[in-house]
Amino acid sequence: MRPLRVLAALAALAALPALAACGGSTADAAGKGTVTVRIPDPGNSGVLARGKKDGSLDKALAKVNAKVAWTGSAGPFAPAAQAMNADQLDIATGSITSGITSLAQSPGFVFFTATDPDPVGEGILVREGSGIDSVADLVGRKVAVNKGGTGEYLLLKALATAGVPAEKVERVYLRPDQTAAVLNAGQVDAWAVWSTYAVAEIGGGKARFVADGAAIGSDNYSLNAVRKGFADAHPEIVRALYGYLHEESAKERRDPAAYLNVFTDAGPTAVTGRAREVQLGFTAKGGTVDPIGPEDVKRFEEVARFYAERKVTPGRVDIAAHLLDVEKLS
């Protein structure tokens, strides 16, 4: 089995402008036949941020006659899936949970890598001094979740693991970027969340996990998706991108600080103070971006079954039909 990995803050697309006709599967305007790969801008941290800054990603893709067009900004997977379906984006990253709900639509993408569930950076977050010391203490309380995504999965999985009926806890559907203020104002009692948002709350001394991914028994993998048409047309580029992500994610685990605050160590995108130490600790316990193996598929299918049984999806999504064996690409 591969080592467990924290979600690496590679995210998908929140807002995406329409791109020029060159797109991800045509030659560039210079007529050199270089293929443009459209990827959400990575922000200030993570493997892609470092690759953008030092040019290493460009060098890796140049070997297969490709280049990156950074577009949009980091955010939830659902709009990224829509963008891939509309041929406005070629690559995106999200959780298996949000991936399954997107696959329940009319998907135009496939997944080509897997990163094992985060054992320490996701879970059920509660305010310090809340009096909530276990998942069982959530009975009769309000918990913020993002609908159909990681948050809803983490809460339902935590309740199932603790033997608490889901109907005994009120789910409050909120966007992750709106939830911290609601939690801190006491309008919800807990927040089912992942490291992207948990780090600031834990680092600020305002909150703690009452149950983390390991305690919950989370199967919430992080996956990289590629637009199906792009993968069909350019398998060698998908393979090269996988190789880059795999190698760099291993380096990130060994030296997390080199991949944090890549462009700036000040301002709203920087992780500083105690939050920086929390993030470095989460990342150091992570793993690597890997091919999707048989053991992963079984766990994906378990998440699909779990979601269908709890009516998060209208039926059981056939996740195996939307997976790509990146090791067989050439």
Side-chain angles (χ1 to χ4, degrees):
M1 291 292 292
R2 291 179 277 108
L4 291 172
R5 189 196 199 290
V6 68
L7 296 182
L10 297 178
L13 195 65
L16 184 71
L19 296 182
C22 64
S25 60
T26 57
D28 67 6
K32 297 180 181 179
T34 301
V35 176
T36 300
V37 188
R38 297 164 296 181
I39 304 176
D41 190 276
N44 193 33
S45 296
V47 165
L48 291 181
R50 185 175 172 91
K52 179 182 178 181
K53 182 178 182 180
D54 65 15
S56 59
L57 179 58
D58 286 333
K59 291 178 182 177
L61 291 180
K63 295 177 182 178
V64 287
N65 205 30
K67 65 178 183 180
V68 174
W70 301 107
T71 182
S73 58
F77 182 71
Q82 294 172 358
M84 285 187 287
N85 291 345
D87 191 16
Q88 295 177 328
L89 182 68
D90 300 309
I91 302 293
T93 304
S95 65
I96 182 61
T97 47
S98 58
I100 285 172
T101 52
S102 294
L103 287 174
Q105 313 294 320
S106 299
F109 60 89
V110 292
F111 294 110
F112 68 102
T113 75
T115 301
D116 280 345
D118 183 354
V120 295
E122 64 178 13
I124 310 301
L125 197 71
V126 299
R127 298 187 310 278
E128 291 290 359
S130 66
I132 300 173
D133 297 312
S134 69
V135 172
D137 292 337
L138 296 175
V139 170
R141 300 182 187 255
K142 297 178 180 179
V143 182
V145 303
N146 60 313
K147 187 174 178 62
T150 291
E152 188 161 26
Y153 170 77
L154 290 173
L155 175 60
L156 291 173
K157 184 69 172 177
L159 296 176
T161 300
V164 176
E167 63 272 16
K168 291 186 176 295
V169 176
E170 181 180 349
R171 277 170 266 174
V172 179
Y173 294 117
L174 292 171
R175 279 177 24 193
D177 60 353
Q178 298 174 331
T179 307
V182 177
L183 176 70
N184 290 319
Q187 295 174 303
V188 295
D189 301 293
W191 182 9
V193 68
W194 58 101
S195 62
T196 303
Y197 300 96
V199 164
E201 301 306 305
I202 296 172
K206 296 178 288 186
R208 59 184 170 81
F209 281 134
V210 73
D212 61 16
I216 290 169
S218 173
D219 282 324
N220 187 39
Y221 281 76
S222 175
L223 307 179
N224 279 297
V226 58
R227 184 171 58 83
K228 183 66 165 58
F230 188 93
D232 290 343
H234 306 292
E236 75 287 354
I237 297 175
V238 179
R239 177 64 184 260
L241 183 59
Y242 155 70
Y244 179 84
L245 294 172
H246 175 75
E247 182 177 343
E248 290 299 314
S249 63
K251 293 178 182 178
E252 182 186 29
R253 187 188 185 207
R254 294 192 297 268
D255 184 13
Y259 294 79
L260 189 64
N261 299 334
V262 172
F263 289 96
T264 179
D265 58 6
T269 64
V271 183
T272 60
R274 173 59 183 158
R276 179 179 183 275
E277 299 307 311
V278 171
Q279 181 63 73
L280 294 177
F282 285 171
T283 305
K285 294 178 181 178
T288 57
V289 174
D290 292 323
I292 298 169
E295 74 282 3
D296 304 317
V297 177
K298 290 179 181 179
R299 293 173 73 178
F300 296 172
E301 291 175 339
E302 173 59 23
V303 176
R305 181 197 61 77
F306 186 83
Y307 259 20
E309 287 180 351
R310 285 154 182 80
K311 311 300 182 185
V312 177
T313 54
R316 185 168 177 173
V317 173
D318 183 8
I319 183 72
H322 303 281
L323 304 177
L324 186 65
D325 189 343
V326 71
E327 294 184 304
K328 291 184 179 179
L329 299 179
S330 60

